[in-house]
Amino acid sequence: FHLAGIRLAPKEKLEIPVLFMPAEMKVYKAVVVINVMRENGENWPYVVTAESNTRLTRNVTVAENGKTQGILWIYPINGTSEAPQQKSVVISCQARQRLEQRVELLLIGVLPVATALPAAGNSAVVDVNELSNAPEVTDGSPATLEFLYELQYQSDEIRSQLESLVAIHLVEKEWDTESRIVTLIFNVVFAPNKPMRNEATVTIQCTTGGLWKFPLVFIATEPEVDDVINIEAVGLNKESIVGFKLTSQTR
């Protein structure tokens, strides 16, 4: 949209609403350009010269006489399409046991590489810091699709409880070109050491665009009884003592 004639007082804030309603699972790019001119129509006192900074020169509008007529603020907008919230996948295991479970996650609306790749220099918006350790997956076909995945936690406290107990690894990928549905099959390992109920989220991002989030609920039930200790009475009002060893699983 184009708006003009907005009057701003000194140090006044300008709020610009941005509506993003993606139609496909891909990366969208736009630019918001703000051109500020003096209300009295006069030029800015600063004169752009040949020695001026190149970046500054790009962010000004110059009048016919070569003087600065307006100042530009340019804000790039990168829109990442995110799929609706998916149903939770429950992974339940008895405490002090080890569960290995295959989990299938469906990615709906994936675009083929040929039509979804952005132009040169416009790579998909990916948080490199968060997804730097996530592996890339490819099937080697002409319509190669690559995905980044990560297990995210709602808080540092949940991370400290789950991070050493959970492992997730992508083992297989199936691509249906007609329905545009990609099925990612993960192998999830859960080895709880005590009863708990915590949640995490598998975040999957396609390098051609699109973000999917799948909640995982980890439930650890009560462990089995280790042993039964029998104490035989030696008589009424007399103490009976029995000894047993406890071995810690950690230091």
Side-chain angles (χ1 to χ4, degrees), residues 20 30 36 92 99 105 113 117 123 150 172 206 235 239 250-251:
F20 179 47
V36 176
S92 181
L99 173 69
L105 303 180
V113 174
L117 272 179
S123 59
E150 181 192 24
E172 190 176 346
C206 183
E239 291 183 355
T250 63
R251 293 184 179 180

Side-chain angles (χ1 to χ4, degrees), residues 53-111:
N53 183 279
T54 305
R55 185 175 179 181
L56 175 62
T57 307
R58 292 199 306 263
N59 291 350
V60 299
T61 55
V62 181
E64 294 180 357
N65 56 8
K67 294 185 178 181
T68 303
Q69 188 177 33
I71 301 176
L72 296 178
W73 279 266
I74 302 175
Y75 296 91
I77 297 179
N78 299 325
T80 300
S81 304
E82 182 175 339
Q85 184 75 16
Q86 305 296 316
K87 292 184 179 180
S88 299
V89 178
V90 178
I91 299 175
S92 181
C93 176
Q94 194 174 27
R96 297 206 298 270
Q97 299 294 325
R98 184 181 184 274
L99 173 69
E100 192 166 341
Q101 179 175 328
R102 291 169 68 90
V103 176
E104 294 187 2
L105 303 180
L106 302 182
L107 310 184
I108 300 176
V110 179
L111 293 180

Side-chain angles (χ1 to χ4, degrees), residues 123-140:
S123 59
V125 180
V126 179
D127 191 332
V128 179
N129 293 328
E130 292 185 358
L131 301 178
S132 58
N133 296 326
E136 295 184 359
V137 184
T138 175
D139 59 3

Side-chain angles (χ1 to χ4, degrees), residues 163 176 219:
E163 196 168 31
D176 190 335
I219 300 176

Side-chain angles (χ1 to χ4, degrees), residues 27 117-118 123-124 126 136 145-148 205-210:
V27 175
L117 272 179
S123 59
V126 179
E136 295 184 359
L145 292 171
E146 296 180 354
F147 297 91
L148 304 174
Q205 187 153 6
C206 183
T207 53
T208 60

